[in-house]
Amino acid sequence: KHLLRESNAFNKIVADVYGSVSSECPNKIRQGWKELFEQVETKEGRDDIQRQLHLCHIPNPDSNHDTKYIAENVHGWISGALETMVQYGYPYPTNFYNPVPAFPFRVACENMLKKETNTGLG
């Protein structure tokens, strides 16, 4: 077992980095997680998630994949992106796999703050 995972320290570090840009960013991210797990429960909610996140498709629940499974997969994809932006948080643009701006977590947080709604999704 890994100490960072067991202690949740890694997630705290990620939240602190986004919080260093604005205290509102971790709140918007947490609100987005809450909305994701609520909205995935209905067809209309899944359609909204697909539209807001520009997903090609989002599966419907079936005997193999319940709504929690679907939400956890979308959560994993988004949280991986949020974590990667912290890990690639160099003070200059980079181009390891794709172009990344300087301090990509700052750019992401600033984009979150531009949203006029309180919604965490999209």
Side-chain angles (χ1 to χ4, degrees):
K1 295 185 177 182
H2 197 278
L3 180 60
L4 283 178
R5 287 192 187 114
E6 286 181 11
S7 67
N8 203 30
F10 183 73
N11 289 332
K12 182 176 177 352
I13 292 167
V14 171
D16 287 350
V17 170
Y18 283 93
S20 72
V21 178
S22 168
S23 62
E24 283 304 305
C25 286
N27 295 334
K28 284 191 171 270
I29 294 168
R30 286 184 198 101
Q31 181 62 31
W33 297 147
K34 181 177 180 257
E35 290 176 21
L36 171 65
F37 280 84
E38 289 172 355
Q39 287 187 338
V40 77
E41 293 296 326
T42 67
K43 171 76 170 115
E44 296 79 18
R46 289 187 298 278
D47 289 345
D48 193 42
I49 291 167
Q50 181 179 351
R51 182 183 53 75
Q52 289 190 51
L53 299 178
H54 305 281
L55 302 175
C56 295
H57 75 283
I58 190 165
N60 287 314
D62 58 28
S63 60
N64 296 317
H65 304 100
D66 63 7
T67 56
K68 183 178 179 187
Y69 174 86
I70 295 166
E72 287 173 347
N73 275 277
V74 174
H75 175 274
W77 172 64
I78 296 169
S79 64
L82 293 169
E83 293 166 5
T84 298
M85 286 187 274
V86 169
Q87 292 170 345
Y88 288 177
Y90 302 117
Y92 48 84
T94 60
N95 195 8
F96 292 119
Y97 302 106
N98 289 304
V100 178
F103 297 116
F105 60 86
R106 179 182 295 160
V107 174
C109 181
E110 289 168 350
N111 284 330
M112 288 179 221
L113 296 173
K114 288 178 186 175
K115 290 288 184 181
E116 294 186 18
T117 86
N118 281 339
T119 184
L121 288 175

